[in-house]
Amino acid sequence: MSTAQETDGENTPWAEVTPEAARRLLVAAVDAFAERGYHATTTRDIASRAGMSPAALYIHYKTKEELLHRISRIGHDRALAVLEAAAGSEGTAAERLDAAVRSFVQWHAERHTTARVVQYELDALGPEHRAEIIELRRRSDAVVRRIIGEGVAAGEFDVPDVPGTALAVLSLCIDVARWFNAQGSRTPDEVGDLYAGLVLRMVAAGR
């Protein structure tokens, strides 16, 4: 599945990126980075995939790194919003953790091409942009840590190391982007169901 096919419920993928030429370049960059890696991808590769000249890219993005930052920022904002929506829902800590894992995993499966770039090209960002994205990752960690901590306080979970467990949960969910295949035997919903069950057993919910 290409990035252009990853709609995530949108009529137009990456609709927040304007004008249209900038969006086409961003979609092309996601596909190129996911396929070849950031460092092996040239601006000529990206422009060619977008059906544009190399010079056209610099009208919308000063550097290849700026393009990666735009992709990473939008992706991390979306992923964080998915977690926060689940964490803010009604229900017990176990129900909210279930919802958080399920939705986070589904997002990484449904948008696995995008998510591979968002989650695994962090080190290619410059120091300022990298610090910005790391802060968004810390906020995601804080959401999961808060749910688990509330579950421990309520007696729902048996977790001696809340920070370590939160990190393990997020790592498990994010890794879906690395291996998920849209032509595989499991749908995003099925993977979400599986991982939610695994995580609830991990925290000994309902022991």
Side-chain angles (χ1 to χ4, degrees):
M1 179 186 291
S2 71
T3 305
Q5 295 171 302
E6 294 182 340
T7 61
D8 196 23
E10 303 164 302
N11 292 325
T12 303
W14 303 92
E16 64 268 69
V17 179
T18 57
E20 171 63 16
R23 190 188 72 82
R24 283 169 52 199
L25 286 163
L26 185 142
V27 169
V30 173
D31 286 338
F33 294 157
E35 180 182 319
R36 307 188 61 184
Y38 174 82
H39 293 294
T41 298
T42 66
T43 53
R44 185 176 293 276
D45 293 332
I46 297 168
S48 177
R49 285 174 185 255
M52 301 165 71
S53 70
L57 186 146
Y58 297 106
I59 295 173
H60 303 284
Y61 303 98
K62 294 178 182 177
T63 64
K64 185 175 71 166
E65 191 270 349
E66 181 181 314
L67 186 48
L68 176 63
H69 170 250
R70 182 84 166 117
I71 294 164
S72 190
R73 178 63 201 237
I74 292 172
H76 277 88
D77 280 340
R78 288 178 176 176
L80 176 59
V82 165
L83 280 177
E84 289 180 334
S89 62
E90 298 293 329
T92 64
E95 289 168 339
R96 286 182 287 119
L97 183 60
D98 177 281
V101 170
R102 193 180 300 273
S103 57
F104 202 56
V105 165
Q106 288 170 350
W107 188 89
H108 282 81
E110 289 168 352
R111 300 189 66 84
H112 55 278
T113 303
T114 296
R116 280 200 301 275
V117 177
V118 168
Q119 299 293 359
Y120 294 112
E121 293 288 358
L122 177 65
D123 289 342
L125 293 171
E128 183 177 347
H129 287 159
R130 189 171 187 274
E132 178 185 320
I133 300 305
I134 286 174
E135 177 56 30
L136 289 173
R137 289 184 177 223
R138 286 178 180 147
R139 288 173 60 187
S140 292
D141 179 79
V143 171
V144 177
R145 191 182 299 193
R146 183 173 70 249
I147 298 172
I148 296 174
E150 289 171 355
V152 171
E156 294 181 53
F157 301 157
D158 182 11
V159 177
D161 183 349
V162 172
T165 302
L167 178 60
V169 169
L170 285 170
S171 298
L172 187 70
C173 296
I174 287 169
D175 194 57
V176 169
R178 181 184 57 80
W179 62 261
F180 186 80
N181 183 345
Q183 282 72 53
S185 60
R186 296 181 189 270
T187 67
D189 286 351
E190 289 170 342
V191 179
D193 290 344
L194 172 65
Y195 276 48
L198 290 172
V199 168
L200 289 179
R201 288 193 290 276
M202 182 190 299
V203 298
R207 65 191 186 285

